[in-house]
Amino acid sequence: MALKRRNFLKGSAALGAATGMGLPHIWMKNTALAQASNGEIKVGVLFSLTGTTGIIEESLNKATILAIEEINDNGGVNGMRINPIVEDPASDPATFAEKARKLVLGDKCVSVFGSYTSASRKAVLPVFEGRDNLYFYPTLYEGRECSKNVIYTGAVPNQQQDEFIPWLVEKFGKKFYLIGSNYIYPKEENNYCKKLLEELGAEVVNEEYVPLGHSEFSSVINKIQSTQPNVIFSTVVGDSVVALHRQYRAAGLDPEKMPMASLTTSENEVAAMGGEAAAGHFTSAPYFMVHQSPENEKFVEAYRSRWGGDKVTHFVSEPSYFQVYMFKQAVEKLAASDITPPNIREAIKDVELIAPQGRVLLERENLHTWLWPKIAMAKSDGQFEVLQESPEWIKPLPYAAYPDQLCAEDGLQQV
Amino acid sequence: MDFVLQQLLTGLSIGSILLLVALGLAIIYGTMGVINMAHGEFLMLGAYGAWALKAFFGLGLLESLVIIFIGVAALGYLVERGVIQFLYKRPLDTILATWGIGVILQQSARLLAGGELRYVEMPSILIGQVNIFGVSVAGYRVFIFAFVAAMFAITWFLFYRTSFGMKLRAVVQDQSMASCFGINAKRIYSLTFAYGAGLAGLAGALVAPLKSVSPEMGTTYVVDAFFVVVLGGAQSLFGTVASATLLGEMNGVLAYWYNDTIAKALVLLAIVVLIRFRPQGLFSTRIRS
C-alpha cells in the first residue's frame, strides 16, 4: 500500500489525538471488555466439526445454531440480532485455545458457546478467565471445577447419581463392578459413586480403567463373570463403549440379571452399537429424546425440520439448545451499552426457563444448573424408555464428592 | 482349573484376532519387504464392506466374506500396480507412499460413509456360547479361532505346496536369479500384495461384529499387527503364529491380574526387551540379500 499524504496526515492526527489524551487511553482500549455494538450481539460457537469428536460436537453446533436462528426470527434480543461466529477447533485442545482467543480478543464476542470434552474446556479456561469473558458449557462432566467464567448447563455427578445408585441397589443388589476409560471423568464419577455405595452399605467388587479407545474386553468380561456383580457401572466412553456392549452380548451375559448402568450412553451411542446390544441397559441423564413435554416436542420437531428428519437429539444437544435461551433472558435484562460478559454473568444468576427436559434454573452460587434427572432403559429400536423421573429438580453440587470443599459465589471455599 | 482354562482360552481368542490382523501384513512385509502403512485401512475397508453389503444389499456377514476378500484384494492389486511396484528399491518411500494411500482411504471412507461409528451384525447362527471342557466361550470367538486356523493352513499350503508358492519363495531368496529362470517376479509380487490386502479385508470384516467400525479404526490394528510381525520375525509364518499366541496370552493374563492399561504397558515393555536381545524376532530364516 502506498503511503498517501492524505492518509498519512489522518493517521498522524489520530495518533496525536491519542497521545494528547495520555497513555491510559491506550491501555484502556486494550483491556476494554467485549460488548454489543451496531445493533447486534456477537457470540462465538466453538464446537469441533472435524476430528475424532466431530460427529457428536456437530450436533451441539446444530442445536446452538437452531436456538440462535429461532431467537433472531422472533425479533432477536431487545431488537438486536445475535450474530454467531462459528469456528472449527478440529477436536484438538490447542486449537480450541487458539480459536477461543480469536473469538474473545479478535471478534470481541460477549460470550462463547462450546466444548464437549473436559480437555477442551480446560484448554480454553485461561482465555476466558484472563479476559473475564463467559463460556457456556453444555456437557455433563465430572464436577470439581469452580470458575466464574463458565456457565455449566450439563449435569454434575450428584445430579446423575443421587437417584440412580439407590434405585440400582434396590432393584438389582449391592455388588457393583466399576469400569471406566482411563481419564479424569470416569475417576471422579466413580469417586462419587463409591461414596454413595458406602452410605448404602453396598460393595464395590472391582474398579478398573481401560485405555481410551480400548476394544478388547474379554479379560474384563472374565473378571465380571468370576466376581458376579449385580450391576456393572460403566463410564467407558467413545468407541470402547460399542466394543464393550457388543462383547458383553457375545459372551451371553444377561442385562436382566447383570445390567450395565451408564452415565454416558445416549441415543448416539445406542445408534453406534446397534439396538440389540444396547437393549436392557440403563442410563441416567436429565434428558432423553422420548421425554414427554410440549417443549420437547417443539424442540425435536424444530431440530428435525432444520437439520434432517432422521437426526436425534440427546442429553448434550438439549443443554446446547436451552443455554442459548438462558443467555437471551440474561441479556434482555441489560441495556444495549451494558452488554458485557461480567454483566451477563450477574444477570444470568437465577435465570429460570422451561427447557425440553423441564424447568431449569441457573444456580447463583456456582453457575451450574438445576436439572431433572431421569432413569431410562435402552430399547432395541434405538430409543430409551424413561422408567423414573426425579420428583424434584436437583441442585448442582460440583464438589459433592469432596465434603470439605464448596463452590460459592466468591470462589472455592474450604469448609 | 476352570479358571486357568478360561484364561488360556481368552488368550487364544485375543491371539487369534491378533494373528488374523497381522497375517496379511506379515506376508507383504516378509516376502516383499514393503512396510505397508495402509494395512489398517485395508482392514477398515473390509469392515465397511461388511457394513455396506448388509445395509444396501441385505447380505449377512458370512455371505459377504468372499466378496470382501476379492474386493479388497483387487484394490491391493491396483495399489501395487499403480504405486508400489515403482518403489521396491526405495523402502523409505514405500512407507510414505503407503501411509499417504492410507490417509486417502480413511478420508474417502469418511466422505462416502460418514464419520459416525457403525456396527456389523453378528451372524445369528454364531450368537450364543460354546462349552469347552466346562468353560463357556462366546461362539463367535470360537468361529474366529477356527477361521484363522483355516486361513493360516491355506496360506501355508499356498506358500509351501503350490508352484506359485515355490516361485514366490524363489523370488524372495534371489529375485534376479529367479527371473533368469523365467519367473515373472513382478506378477508374483502383485499377486502376493493382493493376497495380503485381501486377508486384511477379511480381518476387518471379522473383527467388526465385536468392535466398532469407524474410518480411523485401522490405526490401532496396524500398530498391533506390527508388534506381532516384528516379534515373530519377518520371514517366518510360524513365527507370526507363535508371537500372536504369546502376545494374546500375555495380554489376557496380565489384564486379568492387573488391568488392561497395565497389561498394555507391560506387553510393550516385553517386546522392547525381546527386540533388544533378538533383533531378528523370535523366529528367522536366513536368506541371501
Side-chain angles (χ1 to χ4, degrees), chain A residues 83-397:
Chain A
N83 177 13
I85 298 175
V86 177
E87 290 290 341
D88 174 16
S91 309
D92 170 41
T95 314
F96 261 96
E98 184 195 319
K99 299 286 185 190
R101 220 169 287 129
K102 184 234 167 210
L103 289 170
V104 170
L105 299 179
D107 299 323
K108 304 233 181 308
C109 294
V110 293
S111 289
V112 176
F113 303 95
S115 274
Y116 175 65
T117 64
S118 283
S120 65
R121 187 191 70 251
K122 294 275 188 205
V124 302
L125 213 52
V127 178
F128 290 90
E129 293 188 334
R131 291 284 156 168
D132 203 11
N133 207 300
L134 277 187
Y135 197 53
F136 283 72
Y137 179 62
T139 318
L140 59 113
Y141 84 114
E142 66 278 1
R144 220 181 169 185
E145 194 172 281
C146 188
S147 172
K148 61 184 179 59
N149 298 95
V150 183
I151 307 293
Y152 306 85
T153 53
V156 286
N158 78 298
Q159 293 175 308
Q160 282 181 287
Q161 293 193 34
D162 278 353
E163 300 267 323
F164 195 31
I165 303 296
W167 183 86
L168 289 166
V169 168
E170 192 190 315
K171 207 157 181 262
F172 295 100
K174 292 192 166 182
K175 284 166 78 179
F176 275 59
Y177 194 107
L178 311 186
I179 167 102
S181 294
N182 197 7
Y183 75 110
I184 182 81
Y185 169 76
K187 291 188 175 176
E188 291 291 337
E189 289 286 0
N190 283 346
N191 277 344
Y192 189 65
C193 179
K194 282 186 285 186
K195 184 171 177 275
L196 289 178
L197 290 175
E198 204 184 308
E199 287 165 14
L200 292 163
E203 177 197 356
V204 176
V205 294
N206 195 13
E207 175 183 359
E208 82 167 307
Y209 300 93
V210 296
L212 279 166
H214 190 66
S215 67
E216 180 55 70
F217 284 94
S218 43
S219 294
V220 170
I221 286 169
N222 278 352
K223 275 188 262 189
I224 289 173
Q225 281 170 330
S226 66
T227 50
Q228 285 293 321
N230 302 119
V231 176
I232 302 159
F233 186 70
S234 161
T235 38
V236 168
V237 300
D239 39 2
S240 299
V241 75
V242 177
L244 175 60
H245 273 86
R246 296 196 68 80
Q247 289 171 34
Y248 173 103
R249 184 159 176 262
L253 298 177
D254 182 3
E256 280 186 25
K257 294 188 190 113
M258 199 194 284
M260 284 199 261
S262 164
L263 307 175
T264 49
T265 305
S266 73
E267 288 83 355
N268 270 313
E269 281 76 14
V270 172
M273 71 180 75
E276 293 80 14
H281 298 290
F282 300 95
T283 298
S284 163
Y287 174 83
F288 291 96
M289 191 174 173
V290 293
H291 177 60
Q292 302 274 334
S293 75
E295 289 75 20
N296 187 40
E297 244 165 65
K298 218 183 108 211
F299 170 50
V300 172
E301 203 191 292
Y303 191 86
R304 290 192 150 176
S305 69
R306 177 68 179 85
W307 303 114
D310 57 339
K311 292 281 186 284
V312 295
T313 57
H314 52 89
F315 55 61
V316 191
S317 69
E318 186 247 9
S320 304
Y321 175 78
F322 80 66
Q323 69 180 8
V324 181
Y325 279 92
M326 283 191 147
F327 170 83
K328 169 181 182 262
Q329 283 197 17
V331 172
E332 268 171 352
K333 297 183 196 169
L334 302 171
S337 58
D338 288 340
I339 302 177
T340 62
N343 289 339
I344 297 172
R345 173 172 57 236
E346 285 313 308
I348 205 166
K349 288 175 179 170
D350 299 328
V351 155
E352 229 182 291
L353 59 83
I354 301 178
Q357 64 173 280
R359 182 174 288 274
V360 295
L361 163 74
L362 199 95
E363 170 57 45
R364 61 183 307 122
E365 265 175 30
N366 52 31
L367 303 180
H368 287 62
T369 311
W370 292 65
L371 301 167
W372 293 89
K374 299 164 181 68
I375 298 168
M377 186 175 76
K379 294 188 302 177
S380 52
D381 67 356
Q383 284 291 347
F384 282 87
E385 181 188 345
V386 178
L387 303 175
Q388 185 177 316
E389 292 182 35
S390 174
E392 54 190 5
W393 55 6
I394 305 236
K395 184 179 177 177
L397 299 169

Side-chain angles (χ1 to χ4, degrees), chain A residues 55 182 208-209 211 214-216 218-220 222-223 225-226 239 242-243 246-247 250-252 271-274, chain B residues 6-7 10 14 17 115-122 127 129 138 141 209-212 252 255-256 258-261:
Chain A
I55 294 291
N182 197 7
E208 82 167 307
Y209 300 93
H214 190 66
S215 67
E216 180 55 70
S218 43
S219 294
V220 170
N222 278 352
K223 275 188 262 189
Q225 281 170 330
S226 66
D239 39 2
V242 177
R246 296 196 68 80
Q247 289 171 34
M273 71 180 75
Chain B
Q6 186 174 40
Q7 269 324 106
T10 301
I14 300 176
I17 291 176
E116 51 266 70
L117 296 175
R118 307 280 184 190
Y119 66 95
V120 171
E121 206 52 70
M122 204 172 277
I127 298 176
Q129 282 64 55
R141 287 184 181 273
L210 286 176
K211 319 229 164 159
S212 63
Y256 191 86
Y258 304 107
N259 60 51
D260 282 290
T261 311

